[in-house]
């Protein structure tokens, strides 16, 4: 009766002999990945400073197409909002819109310019959002 170790050694030798005599094989491997589209805005709390400062806003979007960043203000009658070197007028509805294209990540300081507050006893609030077009 032969031992199990002896039989395993014979099986291993047969495997390696077969593998050594096999022809080399070529293969192509193609890897792919899909990243979901996303956009987000990171901004300070909703109240605008008395000096018109909104603060440092981080805008991240990985979409290849065009997207829109909206700033909706309450308690403003008119004015302009500056985002870094870009400017957008605040419409009658209290909204200023910036459009951008391509993936990007920006950190810019936002502030109001020549804004007219409706009620000086109430704060000016802003809500920022981003969406694809």
């Amino acid at each position: 009766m032969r031992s199990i170790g002896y039989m395993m050694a014979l099986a291993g030798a047969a495997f390696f002999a077969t593998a050594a005599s096999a022809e080399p094989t070529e293969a192509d491997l193609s890897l792919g990945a899909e990243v979901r589209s996303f956009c987000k805005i990171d901004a300070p709390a909703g109240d605008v400073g008395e000096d018109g400062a909104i603060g440092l806003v981080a805008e991240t979007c990985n979409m290849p197409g065009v997207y829109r960043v909206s700033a909706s203000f309450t308690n403003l009658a008119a004015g302009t909002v500056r985002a870094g070197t870009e400017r957008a007028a605040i419409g009658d509805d209290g909204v200023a819109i910036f459009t951008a294209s391509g993936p990007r990540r920006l950190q810019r300081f936002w502030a109001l310019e020549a804004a007219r507050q409706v009620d000086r006893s109430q704060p000016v609030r802003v809500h920022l959002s981003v969406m694809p077009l």
Side-chain angles (χ1 to χ4, degrees), residues 45-104:
D47 286 356
V48 176
E50 288 185 22
D51 61 352
I54 296 168
L56 189 63
V57 175
E59 170 189 327
T60 305
C61 199
N62 74 344
M63 298 181 58
V66 178
Y67 62 95
R68 175 176 71 194
V69 177
S70 299
S72 298
F73 294 93
T74 59
N75 196 27
L76 278 185
T80 301
V81 62
R82 179 177 38 86
T85 58
E86 295 180 67
R87 287 176 171 68
I90 300 168
D92 294 338
D93 58 356
V95 177
I97 297 174
F98 295 93
T99 57
S101 63
R104 68 182 192 171

Side-chain angles (χ1 to χ4, degrees), residues 21-33:
S21 65
E23 297 279 327
T25 305
E26 288 186 27
D28 290 330
L29 178 62
S30 178
L31 296 176

Side-chain angles (χ1 to χ4, degrees), residues 7-37:
M7 291 165 73
M8 288 177 70
L10 283 177
F15 172 78
F16 285 114
T18 304
S21 65
E23 297 279 327
T25 305
E26 288 186 27
D28 290 330
L29 178 62
S30 178
L31 296 176
E34 185 174 320
V35 177
R36 289 185 163 209
S37 297

Side-chain angles (χ1 to χ4, degrees), residues 94-128:
V95 177
I97 297 174
F98 295 93
T99 57
S101 63
R104 68 182 192 171
R105 172 144 173 77
L106 292 176
Q107 278 194 309
R108 308 185 283 183
F109 185 79
W110 285 47
L112 293 174
E113 294 179 341
R116 196 175 69 219
Q117 205 169 342
V118 174
D119 182 350
R120 290 233 175 258
S121 67
Q122 297 297 315
V124 173
R125 291 200 165 89
V126 62
H127 173 74
L128 300 175

